[in-house]
Amino acid sequence: MTALLTDDCAVNVQNTLPLSMVERMTLIMEAFDRPLARLTLDEVTQHTGLPRSTAHRILDQLVQCRWLIHAKTHYSLGSLALTLGGRELAQHELRSAASDTLQALALRTGLYVHLASLAGSEIYYLDMFGGRNGHRVPSQVGGRAPAHCTAAGKAILANLSPEYVDNQYASVIRSGRTDYSISDIVVLHQELARIRARNGLATERGECFGHLACVGAAVRNADGPVGAISIVTRHASPLEPLAPMVLRAARTISDKLIHGSRFA
């Protein structure tokens, strides 16, 4: 990750920001040198050499300013950092790891297959394959959907802390997409618990689009979820035959990401 402070700009900011704080923030942000890096407080402390209490305080400030995201015990790049160039790298890494596996899954089933990442309270569709059987889906690459209404989104949320889910969804969950959408935060937590009990398998029928159903599973790197895949079928179609294929594909992609992680 490009440092937040360079030698050329040090003089300019010295009069407005304590240089020592800028240097410490720079050390911490440089620890996230991979777009999908997810670090614990101890890992940040080890990388930067900062006192644990100092690192924790600065991490909290970076989270508040949206440079980082804090989920469970790990930190990752936030919306501001990704907006400045990290998003394309992160998407490229995910898409490269997933492409062959998702193409094979789409060919095997004849159905549309999605690759998505979490963006605040929504999922962002990074890629999609398939549709050989002729039916069309409203989703498209670059599109978004409420995460709590989709199998891919719920698969990711099931891996995040209840506090994160409350923070992101308590105020927006009532605005569902269809009559089938979850519209209560307690019900959402119950659904996420069921997903965890099913080894991470998420399903939805008509929650995002009334005529469709999906099966999804999270994709992980060495430290946690970085996205999800889902397969789309008709509302009334059985989902059970798709479940093992989706879980197997998610594991295959995760293995590729973990193998390339510097924390593997």
Side-chain angles (χ1 to χ4, degrees):
M1 173 116 188
T2 303
L4 298 180
L5 179 67
T6 65
D7 292 338
D8 293 337
C9 72
V11 175
N12 294 330
V13 301
Q14 192 168 9
N15 294 328
T16 58
L17 288 174
L19 185 58
S20 60
M21 174 59 77
V22 174
E23 288 175 330
R24 292 171 186 173
M25 291 173 61
T26 300
L27 284 173
I28 288 177
M29 294 303 292
E30 285 179 334
F32 296 87
D33 59 352
R34 289 167 53 87
L36 301 182
R38 298 179 74 251
L39 308 179
T40 65
L41 172 59
D42 288 339
E43 287 169 336
V44 171
T45 300
Q46 181 179 8
H47 182 96
T48 62
L50 294 172
R52 198 173 192 275
S53 59
T54 299
H56 186 263
R57 183 176 68 254
I58 297 175
L59 284 167
D60 282 349
Q61 293 171 344
L62 291 170
V63 169
Q64 292 174 17
C65 295
R66 295 184 292 123
W67 287 105
L68 298 175
I69 294 172
H70 186 204
K72 286 190 175 179
T73 60
H74 290 81
Y75 296 86
S76 58
L77 293 179
S79 58
L80 282 181
L82 292 173
T83 299
L84 295 180
R87 187 183 302 274
E88 285 189 12
L89 293 173
Q91 291 174 0
H92 176 74
E93 189 170 350
L94 261 178
R95 291 175 69 181
S96 296
S99 178
D100 290 346
T101 300
L102 296 188
Q103 285 186 25
L105 182 60
L107 285 172
R108 180 179 179 182
T109 62
L111 299 172
Y112 279 103
V113 179
H114 290 131
L115 174 68
S117 62
L118 192 64
S121 62
E122 298 178 308
I123 59 164
Y124 179 82
Y125 292 108
L126 300 176
D127 219 338
M128 62 188 298
F129 303 88
R132 187 179 71 232
N133 63 4
H135 83 276
R136 294 290 179 263
V137 298
S139 52
Q140 58 184 349
V141 175
R144 294 172 180 258
H148 68 284
C149 298
T150 67
K154 290 190 291 185
I156 300 173
L157 294 180
N159 287 271
L160 303 180
S161 69
E163 293 79 13
Y164 179 89
V165 175
D166 284 337
N167 182 59
Q168 291 290 330
Y169 295 94
S171 62
V172 302
I173 193 169
R174 291 180 179 83
S175 57
R177 293 286 288 264
T178 74
D179 291 340
Y180 298 100
S181 300
I182 296 174
S183 59
D184 182 273
I185 192 68
V186 174
V187 176
L188 177 59
H189 281 298
Q190 292 170 344
E191 172 68 1
L192 299 182
R194 283 192 289 269
I195 293 169
R196 290 189 288 270
R198 295 195 298 259
N199 295 316
L201 185 73
T203 62
E204 64 96 354
R205 285 190 186 274
E207 294 177 43
C208 193
F209 300 104
H211 63 296
L212 297 176
C214 290
V215 181
V219 173
R220 306 171 64 89
N221 67 7
D223 299 306
V226 293
I229 65 171
S230 64
I231 191 165
V232 188
T233 188
R234 292 180 174 85
H235 183 278
S237 298
L239 302 182
E240 290 79 8
L242 301 176
M245 290 187 283
V246 171
L247 288 174
R248 186 161 52 248
R251 284 195 296 268
T252 298
I253 299 167
S254 297
D255 287 344
K256 293 180 182 179
L257 290 172
I258 292 170
H259 179 73
S261 171
R262 67 189 180 100
F263 297 112

